[in-house]
Amino acid sequence: MKTSTLTKVVQLLAIGIYSIGILSSCSSQTTPAEAATQTNEAAPKEMPTIMAELTDAPNVPAPITRKHAAKVVVKLEVTEVVKKMADGVNYTFWTFGGSVPGKFIRIRQNDEVEFHLMNHPDSKNPHNIDLHAVSGPGGGAASTFTAPGQETVFSFKALNPGLYVYHCATAPVGMHIANGMYGLILVEPEAGLPKVDKEYYVMQGDFYTKGDFGVPGLQPFDMQKALDENPSYVVFNGSVGALTGDNALTAKVGENIRLFVGNGGPNLISSFHVIGEIFDKVYAEGGSTINENIQTTLVPAGGAAITEFKADVPGNYVLVDHSIFRAFNKGALGMLKVEGNEDKKIYSGQIVQKIYQPEGSTVQEMPKSKAPAVALASNKDMRLELGKTLYAQNCQACHQAEGQGIKGAFPPLAKSDYLNADVNRAIGVVAHGLEGQIKVNGELYNSTMPKLKLSDEEIANVMTYVLNTWGNKGGEITPAQVGKAKANFKH
């Protein structure tokens, strides 16, 4: 072989060996693209940001279906607004989001929450927020002192699942809570809550007004009543009637219902009960312990509970604080209307009605007490407003919120032939009570109507309200007419 040819072969071999080395080196190292991919896979994924869905009672945000934690942004505005406490009665509520209770907040365990508290420029007071779901100083209160026209922001991680109260904690704390500054925040467990058909938000509160229950006008806060723990009103969702009539909760036979129940207080413990139902499950105090087959559950001031039950038969089910005078005399009463097919095996309805008249039976009389000041109606519209409040306080427990009565026990006032045929007779019944059998709308009733300790003015008001409601004949009753009807009453 010639020298020149040998030289070329050596050069080619050298180039080949070098190329093999390069390829070997490349095969043992990652390319820049591969390195970037591996880096992204190794690094934690960025947590998604979600705007919280906030709802007014009795509505609840949709259940959380995501299987991962998120950064949840909550924006809650504080406003001071005049709203209805009862018919004819207004009150200046301090609110989280314009309503009492405040907005329902729903998040998931291990979510990281960025919380914005805005105090409306028209507010007269500074406010903050203490969320019982927060692990940190004041539950967030230490970081959210917010003057009117200002916004504060803090963040927290939702460590513990459960249903928690939030409230204002600005001094005087009791006054801020008593004016309506409370709500609920649900931290769902990572696995979520069991699926149900209906979810509702119900929160009790006690209110302290200068005027007693039903006294009309814009009522101011009464600090002495609050200190004495003697509320004028005990209500669900911020006002008398917030969960009755057109505002009643609804469900169908066979549906499973979950109630998120809170108690803002500031003073009273709630004995929460649904008349005619048994709670299949109660998440005691809003935590993880589940009790079963519960009739009434205690909800402490500043506490909560989750109740679940199945609607087995149709009808109207009354929600009450079973400290029962609060329900029928101070407003802690709501309604769940269940529609669907009857099941006579579960509940037969009345089977037999017959007269039972033991010796010595007499008409009951309401106990005497010092009469409160009576508001005088200057026109029919005012008489209707005052009468509606009197009806809720004195008559609704028996004759029901829509005047339908209770079959076999208390006669209906809606489209009542007994009432419309002789109004003066009906006035006498209210004033003197009634015992014995009567027929109303073709049905026999033999219950006892107690004497009501109402003034002529009050009887005129409540009778005017009943006559102008539920399809009755209308008209206006005056105190003078009441006086004559009482004097001439014969049953």
Side-chain angles (χ1 to χ4, degrees):
M1 182 179 296
K2 294 183 179 179
T3 302
S4 59
T5 302
L6 180 61
T7 301
K8 287 180 181 181
V9 170
V10 171
Q11 289 175 341
L12 289 171
L13 287 172
I15 292 171
I17 292 169
Y18 179 72
S19 298
I20 292 170
I22 291 176
L23 290 172
S24 175
S25 174
C26 289
S27 65
S28 64
Q29 297 180 14
T30 57
T31 65
E34 290 171 337
T37 299
Q38 291 181 9
T39 300
N40 288 341
E41 289 176 351
K45 294 181 179 179
E46 185 175 349
M47 186 175 288
T49 299
I50 298 171
M51 292 297 299
E53 177 191 2
L54 307 179
T55 58
D56 291 324
N59 298 314
V60 178
I64 295 173
T65 57
R66 55 186 164 85
K67 302 301 181 184
H68 54 80
K71 177 181 178 181
V72 181
V73 179
V74 176
K75 293 191 174 184
L76 194 57
E77 182 185 46
V78 174
T79 58
E80 300 172 7
V81 294
V82 175
K83 295 172 72 76
K84 170 184 166 183
M85 174 71 76
D87 290 309
V89 183
N90 289 326
Y91 189 78
T92 302
F93 293 92
W94 300 352
T95 76
F96 288 110
S99 61
V100 177
K103 304 285 188 181
F104 194 102
I105 305 169
R106 191 168 197 160
I107 58 176
R108 181 182 182 273
Q109 186 180 8
N110 290 320
D111 280 349
E112 295 179 7
V113 180
E114 178 182 295
F115 200 98
H116 297 243
L117 187 69
M118 298 89 72
N119 194 352
H120 194 279
D122 291 342
S123 295
K124 296 180 175 60
N125 303 278
H127 299 286
N128 64 7
I129 191 166
D130 170 3
L131 301 108
H132 291 187
V134 171
S135 299
S143 303
T144 54
F145 184 82
T146 313
Q150 299 294 309
E151 176 181 353
T152 56
V153 182
F154 82 108
S155 64
F156 69 93
K157 187 170 184 176
L159 300 177
N160 302 90
L163 181 64
Y164 300 95
V165 167
Y166 66 81
H167 61 85
C168 187
T170 301
V173 178
M175 182 178 180
H176 283 248
I177 297 174
N179 283 335
M181 299 198 75
Y182 47 76
L184 291 180
I185 177 170
L186 173 66
V187 182
E188 284 202 33
E190 289 183 322
L193 291 172
K195 184 178 179 180
V196 294
D197 299 296
K198 294 284 179 65
E199 292 183 327
Y200 290 113
Y201 173 19
V202 178
M203 197 161 190
Q204 182 171 315
D206 31 294
F207 290 87
Y208 304 82
T209 60
K210 289 288 185 183
D212 291 335
F213 184 97
V215 174
L218 179 61
Q219 291 293 325
F221 172 76
D222 189 319
M223 178 61 84
Q224 190 58 52
K225 281 187 177 180
L227 292 172
D228 294 339
E229 300 187 7
N230 180 28
S232 309
Y233 297 86
V234 184
V235 298
F236 296 136
N237 290 2
S239 67
V240 176
L243 292 175
T244 62
D246 293 339
N247 300 319
L249 308 180
T250 60
K252 295 180 180 179
V253 169
E255 288 187 325
N256 289 304
I257 301 158
R258 176 180 291 137
L259 301 179
F260 297 106
V261 183
N263 182 10
N267 290 323
L268 303 184
I269 295 172
S270 174
S271 301
F272 186 74
H273 176 74
V274 178
I275 299 174
E277 271 296 349
I278 298 166
F279 301 134
D280 299 321
K281 294 181 180 179
V282 173
Y283 295 72
E285 299 184 13
S288 301
T289 299
I290 297 177
N291 295 328
E292 297 183 344
N293 304 319
I294 302 299
Q295 58 189 314
T296 300
T297 188
L298 291 176
V299 186
I306 304 173
T307 70
E308 297 177 359
F309 58 96
K310 181 181 178 182
D312 295 303
V313 294
N316 292 331
Y317 296 83
V318 182
L319 286 63
V320 297
D321 180 341
H322 216 296
S323 298
I324 209 70
F325 278 100
R326 299 176 188 171
F328 296 118
N329 296 87
K330 294 195 173 185
L333 185 148
M335 189 77 70
L336 169 67
K337 295 183 178 180
V338 177
E339 296 180 345
N341 297 325
E342 294 184 356
D343 186 336
K344 296 295 186 180
K345 291 183 179 180
I346 295 177
Y347 183 76
S348 70
Q350 187 181 79
I351 299 173
V352 175
Q353 178 185 350
K354 58 185 179 181
I355 295 173
Y356 174 71
Q357 190 68 34
E359 184 179 354
S361 177
T362 185
V363 174
Q364 294 181 344
E365 183 173 344
M366 300 297 286
K368 294 181 179 180
S369 60
K370 184 179 179 181
V374 176
L376 299 179
S378 57
N379 54 55
K380 181 180 177 181
D381 287 341
M382 186 176 179
R383 203 174 293 287
L384 288 168
E385 287 187 9
L386 294 172
K388 186 175 182 180
T389 299
L390 286 165
Y391 180 85
Q393 187 174 7
N394 295 278
C395 315
Q396 183 170 299
C398 296
H399 296 289
Q400 302 294 288
E402 297 173 4
Q404 72 268 33
I406 298 176
K407 187 174 177 62
F410 302 109
L413 300 180
K415 298 181 180 179
S416 169
D417 54 5
Y418 183 89
L419 167 65
N420 291 297
D422 190 340
V423 173
N424 288 326
R425 177 181 61 184
I427 292 171
V429 170
V430 173
H432 297 291
L434 178 66
E435 182 183 8
Q437 184 171 282
I438 62 172
K439 181 180 283 188
V440 181
N441 296 348
E443 298 285 340
L444 291 175
Y445 292 86
N446 196 32
S447 55
T448 298
M449 168 77 177
K451 296 178 181 179
L452 298 179
K453 292 298 182 180
L454 299 178
S455 68
D456 289 1
E457 175 76 21
E458 290 172 318
I459 293 174
N461 293 342
V462 74
M463 286 298 302
T464 298
Y465 170 71
V466 171
L467 279 173
N468 288 272
T469 312
W470 311 309
N472 290 319
K473 65 189 295 183
E476 180 179 2
I477 305 300
T478 65
Q481 182 179 352
V482 171
K484 291 179 181 180
K486 287 167 62 177
N488 299 321
F489 174 65
K490 292 181 181 180
H491 170 56

